[in-house]
């Protein structure tokens, strides 16, 4: 059963860069069947899709509201993909999830990682 | 961006009884073949969201048949035929149309 696990610092200072990694339990990240995405959850905004990537990272898609600050990349040799969010503020505080994204047709996210809490504070 | 609106935002249910959650989208989620690009997720307390329903009415693997999804266009419903204690949590709808951004409803908290 596929499992995803987020990792990274739980505390980031304002104006700095948030960096998280999602480890995938098998090598399915190497095939081009699925997308791989990041979603966050904050009290103020609920669930918010951040971005997704596909095709070894050749294709990336970002939420327009975050696009200027987000980079998602993949390292297929390590079975993981990563999120970078620059110039963070308190509004970026929340639980960050990674997930596999599939097309049925119709996009869905499953499974999700357990999530990692990131707090932006000095 | 497609805006997803759920109602009610909270629901108190009795075990064994039925429950229903509504989700409306600001744009049609139907394609020309009649497929509905709408998912439902359940986030149990202290856990991450899990996929319950995709394509409007298809149960994900392992999801009990007491969960059913229906609707088309901009109006969708998730029904739980007989609520059990393990069904408590927050239910989210999400639109999964071809092009991003993909967006979620605000969530409906179900309590017993």
């Amino acid at each position: 059963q596929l499992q995803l696990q987020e990792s990274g610092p739980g505390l980031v200072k304002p104006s700095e860069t948030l960096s998280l990694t999602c480890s995938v339990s098998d090598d399915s990240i190497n095939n081009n069947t699925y997308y791989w995405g990041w979603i966050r959850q904050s009290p103020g905004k609920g669930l918010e899709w951040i971005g997704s990537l596909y095709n070894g990272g050749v294709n990336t898609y970002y939420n327009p509201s975050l696009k200027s600050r987000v980079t998602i990349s993949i390292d297929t040799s390590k079975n993981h993909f990563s999120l970078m969010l620059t110039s963070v503020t308190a509004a970026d505080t929340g639980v960050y999830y990674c997930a596999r994204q599939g097309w049925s047709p119709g996009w869905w996210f499953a499974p999700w990682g357990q999530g990692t809490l990131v707090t932006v504070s000095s | 961006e497609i805006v997803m609106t759920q109602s009610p935002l909270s629901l108190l249910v009795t075990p064994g009884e039925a429950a229903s959650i509504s989700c409306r989208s600001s744009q049609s989620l139907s394609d020309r073949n009649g497929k509905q690009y709408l998912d439902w997720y359940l986030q149990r307390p202290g856990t991450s969201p899990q996929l319950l329903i995709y394509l409007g009415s298809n149960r994900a693997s392992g999801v009990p048949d007491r969960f059913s999804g229906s609707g088309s266009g901009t109006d969708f419903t998730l029904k739980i035929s007989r609520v059990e204690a393990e069904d408590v949590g927050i239910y989210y709808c999400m639109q999964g149309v071809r092009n991003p951004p993909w967006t979620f409803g605000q969530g409906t908290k179900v309590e017993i």
Side-chain angles (χ1 to χ4, degrees):
Chain A
Q1 184 178 359
L2 181 70
Q3 294 183 320
L4 292 84
Q5 176 73 56
E6 305 88 350
S7 60
L11 181 64
V12 182
K13 290 182 168 57
S15 80
E16 294 191 346
T17 297
L18 179 161
S19 295
L20 297 174
T21 295
C22 179
S23 298
V24 180
S25 62
D26 64 23
D27 64 356
S28 58
I29 200 170
N30 292 311
N31 67 45
N32 291 328
T33 305
Y34 297 103
Y35 283 41
W36 303 90
W38 287 96
I39 301 143
R40 68 181 182 180
Q41 185 171 35
S42 59
K45 296 195 73 174
L47 288 169
E48 181 180 30
W49 170 73
I50 299 170
S52 302
L53 61 67
Y54 174 68
N55 194 20
V58 173
N59 303 98
T60 53
Y61 307 89
Y62 300 129
N63 192 317
S65 68
L66 299 168
K67 187 173 184 177
S68 63
R69 300 193 292 130
V70 173
T71 302
I72 297 176
S73 59
I74 193 167
D75 187 337
T76 54
S77 68
K78 296 181 179 178
N79 287 354
H80 76 215
F81 61 105
S82 301
L83 168 71
M84 286 181 51
L85 182 65
T86 62
S87 306
V88 297
T89 69
D92 295 310
T93 292
V95 177
Y96 285 72
Y97 297 99
C98 60
R100 184 182 64 175
Q101 184 177 5
W103 173 258
S104 282
W107 291 107
W108 45 261
F109 291 95
W112 298 49
Q114 66 182 34
T116 187
L117 175 62
V118 178
T119 302
V120 178
S121 174
S122 56
Chain B
E1 174 176 307
I2 299 176
V3 177
M4 306 298 289
T5 304
Q6 292 181 229
S7 63
L9 298 184
S10 66
L11 193 56
L12 190 62
V13 297
T14 301
E17 294 192 347
S20 181
I21 300 170
S22 173
C23 176
R24 286 189 171 179
S25 58
S26 61
Q27 299 175 29
S28 175
L29 304 184
S30 303
D31 75 358
R32 64 184 64 187
N33 296 314
K35 295 190 185 298
Q36 312 300 326
Y37 294 168
L38 188 282
D39 306 328
W40 289 98
Y41 296 84
L42 165 60
Q43 185 173 28
R44 293 189 171 97
T47 70
S48 55
Q50 65 174 98
L51 178 65
L52 287 180
I53 302 283
Y54 63 96
L55 276 176
S57 61
N58 293 290
R59 280 186 299 276
S61 176
V63 174
D65 61 7
R66 65 179 181 274
F67 290 94
S68 64
S70 63
S72 64
T74 60
D75 291 301
F76 299 88
T77 302
L78 176 70
K79 292 182 180 177
I80 311 172
S81 58
R82 295 173 303 280
V83 173
E84 298 187 6
E86 66 178 18
D87 300 336
V88 299
I90 304 176
Y91 290 79
Y92 296 94
C93 60
M94 188 202 90
Q95 58 84 3
V97 298
R98 181 172 294 276
N99 297 317
W102 298 292
T103 50
F104 296 84
Q106 322 95 299
T108 296
K109 187 174 186 178
V110 172
E111 298 175 290
I112 289 183

